[in-house]
């Protein structure tokens, strides 16, 4: 007897309640419960013959994503800014998956010049790209600027991914079925879209800058999804929950001490991004995911960004990156 029709309302209620209670929904408790009803895993070898780029792939969630993609048969382009770390991670994954093709790629995503050069070279080597995961991230306490004069978190989380997506778009189209995933954070719920000081020149705070740019990623991913609506390129953002990563240990040590018994492991944190690329599920406006389900981009008491605010943000990002201002 199929009881799914009876149990679905109960699981939906529980799932929604956890989504608004971070200690339950964002920790291993949430994923542990949701595994009982979330969609099926990708089929074994579901990415055989396909190519995926993962940025920020030399540690933490990014490295785990690269492992997972290799395990599903993909050719993985493991991208990081440190050549030694890139080579080491390539060796680790090929030792674990001897049949996998893992290609080391060196590029600092925060440096728009490096992004332009790397994407040009990559396009000459690769005919098509099935997956692009924007995972590179950081949370410095002090304000830093890049060689182009941009605040570092803005450049890493927003400007670099924007330029990379634009320049790799022909390869994504050529795949005839591709996915772009921005790895955001649940911390984005703590802030609206702030556009009056994109470069955060006034009263800089590293944690707030992180939350701001993670909100920007969600807005940017949704804008890309709208722009590419009707094509075979899907764009989503997601958040991994609270995960025990090297970044958390470095940037939020006290938070890690308090929450460590509840933090997710790396495989748990990487799961939804890998699943999105491997299964390409239908996605509705908002295009924000967590634990294999779409989530609201605002809580009930928060207002959605006005179209004028979003439009101004997109125009400024286009101007900063020298990319076409052709948003829907």
């Amino acid at each position: 007897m199929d009881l799914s029709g009876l149990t679905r309302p109960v699981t939906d209620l529980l799932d929604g309640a956890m989504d608004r209670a971070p200690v339950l929904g964002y920790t291993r408790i949430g994923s542990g419960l949701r595994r009982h009803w979330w969609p099926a895993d990708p089929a074994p070898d579901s990415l055989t013959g396909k190519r995926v780029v993962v940025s920020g792939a030399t540690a933490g969630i990014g490295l785990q994503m690269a492992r997972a993609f290799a395990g599903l048969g993909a050719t993985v382009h493991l991208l990081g800014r440190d050549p030694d770390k890139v080579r080491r991670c390539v060796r680790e994954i090929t030792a674990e998956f001897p049949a996998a093709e893992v290609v080391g790629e060196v590029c600092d995503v925060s440096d728009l010049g490096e992004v332009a050069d790397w994407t040009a070279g990559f396009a000459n080597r690769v005919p098509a790209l099935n997956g692009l995961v924007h995972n590179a991230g950081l949370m410095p306490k002090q304000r830093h600027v890049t060689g182009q004069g941009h605040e570092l978190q803005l450049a890493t989380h927003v400007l670099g991914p924007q330029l990379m997506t634009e320049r790799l778009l022909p390869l994504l189209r050529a795949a005839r079925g591709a996915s772009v995933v921005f790895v955001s954070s649940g911390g984005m719920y703590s802030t609206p879209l702030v556009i009056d000081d994109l470069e955060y020149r006034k009263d800089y705070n590293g944690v707030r800058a992180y939350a701001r740019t993670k909100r920007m990623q969600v807005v940017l991913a949704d804008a890309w999804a709208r722009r590419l609506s009707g094509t075979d390129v899907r764009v989503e953002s997601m958040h991994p929950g609270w995960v025990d990563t090297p970044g958390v240990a470095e940037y939020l040590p006290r938070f890690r001490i308090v929450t460590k018994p509840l933090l997710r492991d790396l495989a748990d944190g990487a799961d939804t991004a890998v699943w999105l690329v491997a299964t390409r599920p239908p996605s509705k406006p908002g295009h924000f995911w967590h634990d294999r389900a779409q989530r609201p981009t605002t809580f009930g008491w928060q207002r959605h960004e006005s179209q004028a605010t979003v439009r101004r943000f997109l125009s400024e990002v286009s101007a900063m990156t020298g990319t076409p201002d052709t948003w829907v």
Side-chain angles (χ1 to χ4, degrees):
M1 180 182 296
D2 182 6
L3 298 178
S4 59
L6 297 176
T7 60
R8 189 78 250 177
V10 176
T11 57
D12 286 349
L13 181 63
L14 179 58
D15 185 79
M18 288 192 296
D19 198 41
R20 287 155 181 79
V23 173
L24 292 177
Y26 294 7
T27 64
R28 64 174 62 186
I29 297 172
S31 55
L33 288 171
R34 286 168 171 152
R35 287 179 191 279
H36 294 291
W37 62 74
W38 72 20
D41 292 344
D45 300 324
S46 58
L47 293 178
T48 298
K50 299 182 179 181
R51 293 180 184 272
V52 180
V53 169
V54 183
S55 71
T58 58
I61 294 174
L63 179 56
Q64 181 58 41
M65 288 177 187
R67 285 194 178 99
F69 286 130
L72 291 172
T75 295
V76 180
H77 294 267
L78 188 153
L79 190 148
R81 61 183 177 177
D82 185 322
D84 292 334
K85 289 183 179 180
V86 168
R87 285 191 289 268
R88 187 194 72 231
C89 292
V90 168
R91 289 195 299 268
E92 288 179 5
I93 295 176
T94 52
E96 185 176 356
F97 301 98
E101 182 178 359
V102 185
V103 183
E105 307 282 355
V106 178
C107 177
D108 183 347
V109 175
S110 73
D111 187 316
L112 300 184
E114 282 197 30
V115 173
D117 291 342
W118 175 78
T119 51
F122 187 75
N124 288 330
R125 292 184 278 120
V126 171
L129 182 63
N130 301 89
L132 173 60
V133 182
H134 295 302
N135 173 71
L138 73 177
M139 192 195 299
K141 293 181 180 179
Q142 306 300 321
R143 185 178 185 274
H144 300 280
V145 296
T146 67
Q148 290 82 28
H150 298 299
E151 189 275 316
L152 184 58
Q153 292 204 59
L154 177 71
T156 303
H157 301 154
V158 181
L159 303 183
Q162 163 65 16
L163 181 60
M164 188 177 294
T165 303
E166 185 69 52
R167 292 180 65 92
L168 295 181
L169 187 55
L171 299 183
L172 293 163
R173 291 183 181 275
R176 298 183 179 180
S179 291
V180 180
V181 179
F182 288 76
V183 180
S184 182
S185 165
M188 72 96 190
Y189 283 118
S190 67
T191 179
L193 179 64
V194 177
I195 62 171
D196 290 334
D197 186 14
L198 286 182
E199 298 283 4
Y200 216 146
R201 294 185 174 92
K202 183 179 179 181
D203 300 326
Y204 179 86
N205 176 282
V207 175
R208 284 200 296 269
Y210 186 83
R212 285 186 183 186
T213 54
K214 290 298 173 177
R215 166 65 72 177
M216 292 174 195
Q217 286 185 318
V218 173
V219 173
L220 185 60
D222 183 61
W224 268 106
R226 293 173 185 274
R227 175 179 163 186
L228 297 178
S229 177
T231 76
D232 53 11
V233 180
R234 294 183 178 174
V235 185
E236 291 101 4
S237 59
M238 56 78 67
H239 82 86
W242 293 350
V243 185
D244 192 6
T245 66
V248 169
E250 178 180 358
Y251 300 123
L252 299 170
R254 283 182 289 184
F255 171 81
R256 181 175 182 266
I257 291 171
V258 173
T259 61
K260 185 171 174 54
L262 295 175
L263 293 180
R264 300 179 177 210
D265 61 24
L266 295 176
D268 207 350
D271 177 83
T272 294
V274 173
W275 179 82
L276 284 169
V277 173
T279 67
R280 302 184 70 247
S283 186
K284 297 180 293 185
H287 304 282
F288 184 55
W289 293 73
H290 173 58
D291 281 348
R292 302 192 188 185
Q294 279 202 252
R295 307 294 171 183
T297 58
T298 59
F299 285 141
W301 61 88
Q302 295 173 318
R303 293 182 178 181
H304 290 280
E305 293 81 11
S306 70
Q307 291 185 9
T309 299
V310 172
R311 190 68 184 82
R312 180 180 159 194
F313 164 69
L314 296 173
S315 293
E316 293 198 28
V317 168
S318 295
M320 289 176 178
T321 55
T323 52
D325 189 5
T326 54
W327 304 100
V328 176

